[in-house]
């Protein structure tokens, strides 16, 4: 579909897609840091809990001394002395060396770093400090320091435990990449979903616009033939005033037919929109076709009509349009090159209208494509046969086309017959 209105609808679709995508992106940008931060906090809490399982018993041994000194023998007998995470007891905080340090060297940390953290613990109001530092090997380390005092003096120190967090850091970095990849995928999926949803949202407007354009195109197509005939009658009346009495009734009938065509177009538009039903009634098909042939401008054509009484249930206005379009198609494409006139044979019997011409026939490769809108075998708009087929199908009938044995195209318009 082309045109300014269609372009505006397409731009609206892109704008809706952009708005939905940006909104989803903002939501993900808010959610992703929360997930990443919670993962980091969970890892830190896990390591802190592990360190607390070390510092708590060591702290009881250190602060429970009644002599003001740390019982080295009791500390070394504790099962934690040879396990990871490592721990150390710094007497007096940063004032001296570590009198006790666990034997297993899991993650080597410089004594200066431990003294710094121990001093911070002794100065802190809570007496507890968590710090992230680097090991001697340059890997991240989590340190917990808890200050203590001996039970019978103001002397004291700090108990420290530490553990390497490289594994947790790698897992957290992997989570960050996964979250970023998921966000990118979700943003792309949101863009696709937004484009699809916005397309569904504007589909009714696109359908209404397409129906409007179809109505205008079919109006121009269907009115072209009667307007040409009306103009020919008017020009004849101007040239020969003596024929005005004869031409006037035909002019009135053509004007009425034009009104019927407009009404039929409006009915079809309403039918397509689902707000109206076909005005079906018993119709003598042979009489209806004869009336259309009589009013058809046959200049450049010789039309033969053979009929047998045949009654159908149909909308007469739409049937007139269908028959007129079949005749117009035969007139345009049903003559041999160089022929002075088109020879058209119309047969009506048993609910079937057959329109045969002596033209070049139908290309087998085209076939059913002739019945599609805006597709024709010549220079016409390509609406006539699509309208004919729509009328046939809407009445429970069908439209077929094939080439005759002696040349030319044959169109069969079939409707269910009505019992008389």
């Amino acid at each position: 579909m082309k045109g300014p209105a269609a372009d505006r609808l397409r731009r609206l679709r892109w704008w809706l897609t952009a708005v939905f995508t940006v909104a989803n992106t903002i939501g993900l940008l808010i959610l992703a840091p929360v997930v990443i931060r919670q993962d980091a906090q969970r890892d830190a809490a896990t390591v802190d809990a592990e360190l607390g399982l070390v510092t708590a018993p060591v702290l009881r041994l250190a602060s429970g001394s009644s002599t003001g000194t740390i019982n080295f023998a009791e500390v070394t007998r504790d099962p934690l002395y040879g396990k990871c995470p490592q721990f150390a007891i710094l007497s007096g905080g940063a004032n001296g060396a570590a009198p006790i340090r666990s034997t297993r060297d899991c993650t080597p940390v410089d004594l200066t770093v431990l003294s710094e953290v121990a001093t911070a613990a002794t100065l802190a109001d809570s007496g507890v400090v968590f710090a992230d530092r680097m090991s001697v090997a340059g890997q991240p380390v989590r340190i917990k320091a808890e200050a203590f005092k001996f039970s019978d003096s103001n002397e004291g120190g700090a108990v420290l435990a530490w553990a390497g967090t490289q594994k947790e850091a790698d897992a957290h970095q992997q989570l960050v990449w996964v979250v970023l990849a998921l966000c990118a995928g979700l943003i792309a999926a949101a863009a696709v979903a937004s484009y699809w949803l916005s397309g569904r949202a504007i589909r009714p407007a696109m359908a209404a616009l397409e129906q409007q354009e179809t109505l205008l195109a079919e109006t121009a197509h269907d009115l072209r033939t009667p307007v040409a005939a009306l103009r020919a009658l008017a020009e004849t009346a101007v040239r020969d005033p003596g024929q005005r009495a004869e031409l006037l009734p035909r002019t009135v009938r053509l004007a009425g037919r034009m009104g019927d065509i407009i009404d039929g177009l409006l009915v079809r538009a309403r039918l397509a929109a689902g707000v109206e039903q076909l005005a079906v009634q018993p119709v003598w098909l042979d009489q209806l076709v004869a009336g259309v042939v009589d009013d058809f401008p046959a200049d450049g054509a010789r039309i033969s009509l053979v009929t047998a009484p045949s009654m159908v249930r149909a909308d007469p206005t739409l049937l007139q349009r269908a028959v007129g379009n079949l005749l117009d198609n035969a007139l345009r494409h049903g003559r041999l090159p160089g022929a002075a006139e088109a020879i058209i044979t119309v047969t009506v019997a048993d609910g079937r209208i057959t329109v045969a011409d002596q033209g070049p026939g139908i290309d087998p490769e085209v076939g059913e494509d002739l019945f599609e809108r805006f597709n024709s075998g010549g220079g016409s708009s390509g609406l006539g046969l699509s309208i004919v087929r729509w009328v046939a199908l809407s009445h429970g009938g069908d439209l077929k086309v094939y080439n005759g044995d002696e040349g030319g195209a044959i169109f069969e318009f079939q409707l269910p017959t009505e019992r008389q």
Side-chain angles (χ1 to χ4, degrees), residues 210-225:
E210 185 174 2
Q211 288 179 4
Q212 178 184 356
E213 292 181 351
T214 301
L215 178 63
L216 292 175
E218 292 182 353
T219 301
H221 177 275
D222 283 355
L223 290 180
R224 181 174 59 243
T225 298

Side-chain angles (χ1 to χ4, degrees), residues 262-285:
I262 295 174
D263 291 340
L265 288 167
L266 295 176
V267 168
R268 178 176 178 182
R270 293 174 64 84
L271 288 171
V275 297
E276 189 168 324
Q277 301 295 324
L278 289 172
V280 177
Q281 62 188 32
V283 176
W284 286 103
L285 189 60

Side-chain angles (χ1 to χ4, degrees), residues 108-282:
V109 178
D110 190 87
L111 182 60
T112 304
V113 175
L114 297 177
S115 298
E116 174 193 349
V117 178
T119 300
T122 59
L123 297 177
D125 294 336
S126 63
V128 180
V129 170
F130 291 94
D132 292 310
R133 297 292 188 269
M134 301 299 292
S135 69
V136 175
Q139 295 182 338
V141 175
R142 181 79 169 172
I143 303 174
K144 180 181 182 180
E146 291 192 54
F148 69 90
K149 290 184 179 181
F150 295 115
S151 58
D152 57 353
S153 68
N154 290 328
E155 296 292 331
V159 175
L160 301 97
W162 64 92
T165 58
Q166 185 63 52
K167 180 179 179 181
E168 288 77 7
D170 292 341
H172 178 69
Q173 185 61 44
Q174 184 177 5
L175 175 70
V176 171
W177 287 115
V178 170
V179 170
L180 292 178
L182 285 176
C183 288
L186 289 175
I187 291 173
V192 173
S194 300
Y195 183 79
W196 180 74
L197 290 173
S198 60
R200 288 184 61 88
I202 67 172
R203 187 176 298 172
M206 293 290 286
L209 181 60
E210 185 174 2
Q211 288 179 4
Q212 178 184 356
E213 292 181 351
T214 301
L215 178 63
L216 292 175
E218 292 182 353
T219 301
H221 177 275
D222 283 355
L223 290 180
R224 181 174 59 243
T225 298
V227 167
L230 191 63
R231 179 176 179 178
L233 291 175
E235 291 176 349
T236 302
V238 170
R239 290 195 303 267
D240 189 357
Q243 295 187 21
R244 290 180 182 177
E246 178 184 351
L247 298 177
L248 186 58
R250 295 181 59 187
T251 303
V252 173
R253 287 197 304 269
L254 277 175
R257 184 185 172 198
M258 292 172 62
D260 291 340
I261 289 174
I262 295 174
D263 291 340
L265 288 167
L266 295 176
V267 168
R268 178 176 178 182
R270 293 174 64 84
L271 288 171
V275 297
E276 189 168 324
Q277 301 295 324
L278 289 172
V280 177
Q281 62 188 32

Side-chain angles (χ1 to χ4, degrees), residues 12-26 190 194 198:
L12 175 61
R13 183 178 187 179
W14 284 110
W15 273 109
L16 291 174
T17 301
V19 169
F20 293 156
T21 304
V22 169
N24 288 315
T25 301
I26 293 174
S194 300
S198 60

